[in-house]
Every structure is written in C-alpha cells, then in structure tokens.
Amino acid sequence: MDFNLSEEHLMIREAARDFANNELLPGVIERDTNQTFPTEQVKKMGELGFLGMMVDPKYGGGGMDTLSYVIAMEELSKIDASASVIVSVNNSLVCWGLETYGSEEQKQKYLTKLATGESIGAFCLSEPEAGSDATSQRTTAVDKGDHYLLNGTKNWITNGGSADYYLVIAQTDRDKGHRGINAFIVEKSWDGFEVGPKEDKLGIRGSDTHTLNFNDVKVPKENRIGEDGFGFKFAMKTLSGGRIGIAAQALGIAAGAYDLAREYSKIRKAFGTEICNHQAIAFKLADMHVNIEAARHLVMKAAWDKDQGANYDMSGAMAKLQASKVAMETTVEAVQIHGGNGYVKEYHVERLMRDAKITQIYEGTSEIQKIVISRGLLRD
Ligand code: CAA
C-alpha cells in the first residue's frame, strides 16, 4: 500500500490547480449570476487535455488513469463546479462510454473530436418520467431497416445546448423491458433534433442544462452503440464510472469551501482575537478536515478500483454518497464560519453551497446510491 501520489499525479494536480486559479476563478461569480457557459475556459481545457484525460492517445486523449482524472476534478471543482461538471460528463460519461463500447468507426468519427475538446458531448438518459427509475424510458427508437426513428424528450441534460454530439438512450422494443433499450450517437445538426429551454438552476449555473426534443430524428444504424438491447447496461456501466467523477467534484467543492473558511477564520477577528482561536470555529474546521480526508480516501479507492480492473459499482456509489454529503455539510459550515459575509456572493462560499446540492442528485441521487450499495452488500 502506498498513500503517496506519483510525480505524474502531483504534476496533474499542480496543472489543474493553476488552471483553476488563473483561468476559472476570474469571472466565476459573474458566470454564476448570469448563467454564462464558460466557452473560452472549456476551449482551453480541451487544449490542455482535460476533456479526454483517460482516452487512449491514438484517439487524441491523454492516456491517463482514473486517479489522475479525480485529482484534476477535485482541483477544478474547488473553484468552479460549473466548469468541472462539463469535464466530468465529457470524460466519464461520453468519452469513456464511446471508447469502451463504441465501434472503431464511431471512435474515429466522434471520440477523436470529443477527446480533444474540438467537440463537446452530452449524455441523455433522464426523462420527465424516468429520472431515478431509468428503465421507464418513453423516448422511442423505431427500427426502420437502415436507420432508427427517434422520438421523445430528455430532461436536465448537462451540456444540453453546448454539445455537438449526444449519447441518447431510447426504447426500441417495449415488450423486452430494459433489454429492449438502446444507446445512440445523435448529432446536433440532424433534422428533428431541437434544443429546448434552458433550466434556471439553484447551482452550477454556468453549466447549461436543457430539455431536448427529438421529433422523427433519423439515426443511422451504425450510430447504435453495441449490440441490440445493450443500451440500459451501457447507461448503467457508464454511470458507474461517472459517479466517481461526480464524487471527485463533490470532494472538490467541499475542499474549496474548507480552504476559504480556514483562511477567513485566520483573518476575521471577534472578541479580541482571530475567530480560529475560538473553539467553536476550530472544532468546525477539525470536523470539516476529517470528513474531507475520509471522502478523499473513498474517491481515490473507487478510482483505484477502476484502474485495477476491479468492480467499482459499489465503491463509486459509496464515494459519491459520502463525498456529496460531505460537500453539503462542509459548505453549510463554511457559510456559517463566514457569518454575514458567507451570505454574499463575493466570498464564494454561498455559491459552493448551492453547487454542492446537485452532487446529491445527478448521476443517481443519494437514495439511488444506497440502492446500488445495499444490493451489492446483499448479493451472494
Ligand atoms: N452494470 C451493468 N449492468 C447493470 C448495472 C451496472 N452497474 N446496474 C444494473 N445493471 C443491469 C442489471 O443486471 C439488470 O440486467 P439483467 O436483468 O440482465 O440482470 C438490468 O441492468 C436492470 O437492472 P435492475 O433490475 O437493477 O434495474 P432497476 O430498475 O432496479 O434500476 C437502478 C436500477 C440502479 C435504480 C437504476 O435505475 C439507476 O441507476 N437509476 C438512476 C439513474 C441515474 O443515475 N440517472 C442519472 C442521469 S444521468 C446524469 O445525471 C448525467 C448528467 O447530465 C450529469
């Protein structure tokens, strides 16, 4: 066992930290207020390799391990969780899904652009009536011989307006239940595809979340991912890894809020001394630090499991469940330590508190993570 990070991992952490401080921090409050997608910053992240970190270099990726990815995710999320969810969805839902299950043609055509950030991807599973209950897909893809005809609506889609390519899950044969579900690559420019309204969100307001409508969209047969009927398992397997990315995002939000609270407590004075000298504040910092460190171990263990080729369904769910809880608790306490200043935008912690909430909801709510964990525990 070795708790030390390698030279390479330390360099990735440094690069992500520098990028976050130099490129994401300026304007982060304005982007949050105005719901502005970080277009320039995403372009730069693509150039620096943050959008296809784990993809094989032969498809334009960084060829890095999952540990590198979670380290980068933590650093980016300390500063700007809106930017980091774009990174997470593109890396672990879109690129990973395509690289692992896509055909060579699909990889050449789509993955090469997604891994470099030349194009952005979105993952479209959720529907108005299929959020947690993901097998209840209403979107249909009817087999028409050389193509499928896609109809339906997807909701709460991250990168919904900004993506170029969309991985869309749809029902092709209702009688077969989840075994009649497929996943497709859909291009934004295709007839019948419409980006619907943008959501006005509590947090991660710089990321664009949209409803998407599909009206008789012709999807060529070669754009189905995997064997007929593989779509639900594709979604589940992809989400298992996605949850590690969101766990790292939650960890970063918590760590970012803790850093701010710690610094603030060393300069803010009350009752004749810096507030960190009051046990009421010092104990909060101690709790925050312990919780973050424990969450970090779970996140890194899940990443390590994935890198070892071990099953990571449970460890990813555990990491997400715990890190998102810690993100919520830590950000609330960070606001509390800041007092009145914590409630205003310029101190950043109120934004981190709003951003934290989504980590308990997307890519499977905390309740869904408990389903995954408890089923794993009870399986013989
Ligand atoms: N890997 C492979 N296969 C899996 C799997 C996994 N991790 N999890 C389930 N499956 C398989 C099962 O083995 C089963 O197949 P068989 O019948 O052939 O054995 C099939 O999938 C159905 O599984 P269940 O019977 O367990 O299905 P269920 O209806 O009970 O649901 C669930 C299971 C875990 C609750 C699932 O529905 C789920 O994960 N729901 C949450 C969905 C979710 O995370 N949505 C997030 C939206 S995406 C998003 O947020 C992205 C974004 O933009 C940020």
Side-chain angles (χ1 to χ4, degrees):
M1 232 178 146
D2 184 359
F3 282 96
N4 292 309
L5 292 178
S6 67
E7 277 301 312
E8 195 189 337
H9 289 133
L10 290 171
M11 275 167 57
I12 288 161
R13 186 165 73 184
E14 207 54 38
R17 191 173 284 175
D18 284 351
F19 182 82
N21 284 314
N22 298 329
E23 305 286 345
L24 295 179
L25 186 57
V28 67
I29 294 173
E30 291 73 21
R31 291 196 298 277
D32 170 73
T33 304
N34 303 322
Q35 297 202 85
T36 309
F37 186 83
T39 307
E40 276 309 304
Q41 292 79 358
V42 170
K43 189 167 171 282
K44 285 183 186 163
M45 287 195 287
E47 287 161 5
L48 289 169
F50 286 121
L51 295 179
M53 293 183 71
M54 296 171 286
V55 175
D56 191 318
K58 74 178 175 189
Y59 301 116
M64 293 177 221
D65 58 10
T66 316
L67 198 51
S68 305
Y69 166 57
V70 297
I71 288 168
M73 275 298 296
E74 179 183 345
E75 293 306 320
L76 300 174
S77 307
K78 282 181 183 173
I79 304 295
D80 187 351
S82 295
S84 73
V85 71
I86 300 163
V87 172
S88 183
V89 167
N90 204 69
N91 271 285
S92 46
L93 295 186
V94 179
C95 286
W96 187 85
L98 270 178
E99 184 170 22
T100 310
Y101 300 112
S103 66
E104 189 53 35
E105 292 71 32
Q106 290 168 352
K107 291 182 205 180
Q108 293 296 345
K109 188 169 177 188
Y110 298 110
L111 182 60
T112 49
K113 293 181 185 163
L114 289 160
T116 55
E118 183 187 333
S119 302
I120 299 293
F123 183 83
C124 314
L125 173 68
S126 302
E127 298 187 355
E129 291 172 68
S132 292
D133 185 7
T135 56
S136 295
Q137 295 288 307
R138 294 279 177 276
T139 298
T140 54
V142 178
D143 192 339
K144 295 286 185 184
D146 65 341
H147 67 274
Y148 288 90
L149 211 52
L150 188 65
N151 279 286
T153 299
K154 293 289 174 182
N155 269 29
W156 312 293
I157 303 303
T158 303
N159 299 342
S162 315
D164 305 282
Y165 304 127
Y166 298 78
L167 304 190
V168 181
I169 314 297
Q171 189 85 46
T172 45
D173 187 342
R174 199 164 298 288
D175 292 341
K176 291 186 181 161
H178 69 77
R179 294 193 187 90
I181 289 174
N182 275 299
F184 303 95
I185 307 163
V186 174
E187 300 186 16
K188 189 185 220 162
S189 59
W190 288 350
D191 285 348
F193 175 75
E194 179 198 48
V195 176
K198 180 170 169 163
E199 302 292 352
D200 187 358
K201 305 192 298 292
L202 173 73
I204 55 160
R205 288 170 58 82
S207 87
D208 66 330
T209 309
H210 285 259
T211 296
L212 305 175
N213 298 312
F214 304 91
N215 302 304
D216 284 341
V217 178
K218 273 173 115 175
V219 183
K221 265 266 163 79
E222 62 266 22
N223 276 36
R224 189 186 73 209
I225 301 172
E227 293 296 303
D228 187 22
F230 180 62
F232 189 72
K233 289 197 177 168
F234 169 81
M236 289 297 107
K237 284 172 180 282
T238 305
L239 276 167
S240 282
R243 288 166 184 164
I244 302 176
I246 299 303
Q249 181 192 40
L251 169 65
I253 293 170
Y258 164 78
D259 287 346
L260 291 169
R262 182 173 165 275
E263 289 314 304
Y264 184 82
S265 75
K266 292 199 294 187
I267 52 168
R268 173 75 179 177
K269 288 188 176 167
F271 304 103
T273 184
E274 289 79 12
I275 60 173
C276 62
N277 296 322
H278 297 298
Q279 204 174 62
I281 302 298
F283 278 16
K284 280 188 197 300
L285 292 172
D287 283 338
M288 290 157 101
H289 178 73
V290 172
N291 290 338
I292 289 167
E293 198 60 17
R296 188 176 286 117
H297 281 91
L298 284 175
V299 171
M300 291 195 162
K301 171 64 166 57
W304 186 84
D305 281 345
K306 187 159 178 282
D307 289 333
Q308 299 302 308
N311 188 299
Y312 51 91
D313 296 341
M314 252 180 92
S315 55
M318 284 163 59
K320 182 177 182 292
L321 177 68
Q322 190 61 17
S324 61
K325 181 169 175 273
V326 169
M328 206 60 246
E329 290 171 357
T330 305
T331 54
V332 168
E333 287 295 61
V335 170
Q336 192 69 16
I337 289 173
H338 280 74
N341 283 331
Y343 210 62
V344 294
K345 285 180 187 279
E346 70 174 285
Y347 285 84
H348 298 280
V349 283
E350 64 81 34
R351 186 185 74 256
L352 291 167
M353 184 180 80
R354 289 186 284 106
D355 289 348
K357 187 60 205 167
I358 192 61
T359 65
Q360 294 184 305
I361 298 173
Y362 59 19
E363 301 204 20
T365 61
S366 295
E367 292 73 16
I368 290 293
Q369 307 314 320
K370 288 184 189 179
I371 291 179
V372 173
I373 296 162
S374 56
R375 284 184 183 174
L377 290 175
L378 298 170
R379 197 175 293 133
D380 309 292

